[in-house]
Amino acid sequence: MRIHVVDHPLVAHKLTTLRDERTDSPTFRRLADELVTLLAYEATRDVRTEVVDIRTPVAGTTGVRLSRPRPMVVPIIRAGLGMLDGMVRLLPTAEVGFLGMIRDESTLQASTYANRLPEDLSGRQVYVLDPMLATGGTLVTAIRELMRRGADDVTAVCLLAAPEGVEVLERDLAGAPVTVVTAAVDERLNEHGFIVPGLGDAGDRMYGVV
């Protein structure tokens, strides 16, 4: 597994405002969207392409386009939905699937309650959107499901990660073709499984407490 922390002043600036408890939900959603677009730029650095012949108004030349099968973007509902627009802004031709997952706050175990994915993902590059890599259980479960369906290149895009979550992914997905792209790896998890200093519950901050 490879982890890539995006080191850029604009990323740090937007992340700081997201962390601030005074930031309201509309501002949080807008900044999360902008931050994901910056992360997506790095996450798609190795997106697969093919050479094509084209003609400009002046002369013939060659260029590249995204190869088939098209990439797939998979937000993990609910907080991952707030990252979708920022990702498909850079990958408008990607297909979109959905995974609904919930974490039991007492056991910290993740379970799937909704699944909208192709049965066959063979040869597909898949980009999973999950704001917080905390305990790692949700992402491990999601990535295993994608790989069970044939995905051979999975990139997780996260706003924040905790060292404990990174360790779990490295242990449970050892040898798997997985990359994590994030804005920062924070200090630790607290006793409730929240990232410290973190930014709180990303879903609640995007959409309100439900």
Side-chain angles (χ1 to χ4, degrees):
M1 195 195 83
R2 183 171 68 94
I3 183 159
H4 177 48
V5 179
V6 179
D7 181 16
H8 192 284
L10 287 179
V11 169
H13 166 73
K14 294 177 190 301
L15 180 57
T16 298
T17 307
L18 288 174
R19 291 186 190 275
D20 194 330
E21 64 181 3
R22 298 168 298 179
T23 300
D24 59 24
S25 287
T27 305
F28 191 97
R29 287 194 299 270
R30 176 177 59 80
L31 287 173
D33 176 81
E34 294 173 0
L35 179 54
V36 170
T37 299
L38 295 174
L39 298 179
Y41 179 81
E42 295 295 331
T44 56
R45 187 171 293 278
D46 295 323
V47 69
R48 294 168 186 163
T49 60
E50 60 188 17
V51 177
V52 294
D53 295 319
I54 62 167
R55 185 165 187 85
T56 77
V58 178
T61 187
T62 59
V64 298
R65 68 182 176 195
L66 297 186
S67 58
R68 292 182 177 274
R70 289 183 290 173
M72 171 156 283
V73 177
V74 180
I76 296 180
I77 301 171
R78 116 183 118 131
L81 287 176
M83 303 172 68
L84 180 58
D85 286 349
M87 189 73 193
V88 298
R89 186 173 294 118
L90 286 191
L91 279 177
T93 61
E95 294 183 345
V96 178
F98 296 92
L99 273 175
M101 306 189 74
I102 190 167
R103 186 177 74 166
D104 186 308
E105 296 303 331
S106 58
T107 65
L108 303 182
Q109 297 300 307
S111 59
T112 302
Y113 65 86
N115 184 323
R116 187 68 173 173
L117 293 170
E119 190 57 42
D120 185 7
L121 289 171
S122 299
R124 301 287 286 269
Q125 286 182 295
V126 182
Y127 297 89
V128 184
L129 310 180
D130 192 14
M132 313 298 281
L133 171 50
T135 63
T138 298
L139 267 180
V140 166
T141 302
I143 291 171
R144 280 177 171 166
E145 176 62 21
L146 295 168
M147 298 182 71
R148 185 188 71 78
R149 293 168 182 256
D152 65 357
D153 187 335
V154 179
T155 299
V157 181
C158 307
L159 302 182
L160 283 180
E164 294 90 337
V166 172
E167 184 179 340
V168 166
L169 260 66
E170 289 176 335
R171 182 193 68 212
D172 292 357
L173 299 173
V178 176
T179 300
V180 175
V181 177
T182 185
V185 176
D186 274 7
E187 297 172 11
R188 59 184 173 86
L189 293 179
N190 66 14
E191 64 275 17
H192 303 294
F194 281 91
I195 298 175
V196 179
L199 49 76
D201 186 297
D204 287 351
R205 296 202 63 192
M206 284 182 186
Y207 303 117
V209 180
V210 296

